[in-house]
Amino acid sequence: MSVPAVAPEEVDRLYEKLKKEAESGGYHLNPDVEMTRALVKGLLTNEKRYGYQACPCRLASGRKGEDLDIICPCDYRDADVVEFDACY
């Protein structure tokens, strides 16, 4: 399956949106901007591939009903933050 490329402008827009949402909820994005931008690009790639933003650090099935737990922010975020001080 061919997935359309993700433009840098798309990454910029979603990065800024997620940064605002995270901070309004008491979270912060990873200060390693390049790593965070790569994850944002993964979210956009998965959205183009599957129609929803499956977390790029988890394996998506491509069936939204089966992947509800890994749609960003995924159900594992808070447990990861507690255990590792960050989610991926």
Side-chain angles (χ1 to χ4, degrees), residues 8 14 17 42 56 81:
L14 184 56
K17 178 181 181 241
V81 168

Side-chain angles (χ1 to χ4, degrees), residues 35-83:
M35 177 182 168
T36 304
R37 288 180 56 79
L39 290 169
V40 169
K41 184 177 180 181
L43 287 171
L44 290 165
T45 298
N46 284 342
E47 183 173 32
K48 290 177 183 218
R49 181 181 291 142
Y50 305 122
Y52 53 93
Q53 292 181 359
C55 182
C57 65
R58 310 263 178 191
L59 293 176
S61 71
R63 292 179 293 281
K64 188 175 183 179
E66 293 180 17
D67 291 340
L68 292 175
D69 62 328
I70 63 168
I71 293 175
C72 189
C74 77
D75 291 352
Y76 310 99
R77 176 193 62 190
D78 291 337
D80 285 351
V81 168
V82 168
E83 186 172 350

Side-chain angles (χ1 to χ4, degrees), residues 8-36:
E9 298 80 24
E10 292 176 277
V11 174
D12 293 341
R13 279 191 301 273
L14 184 56
Y15 176 88
E16 289 304 321
K17 178 181 181 241
L18 293 174
K19 184 176 179 181
K20 287 178 187 173
E21 288 177 2
E23 290 176 357
S24 73
Y27 293 90
H28 299 281
L29 297 183
N30 189 316
D32 182 340
V33 176
E34 291 306 311
M35 177 182 168
T36 304

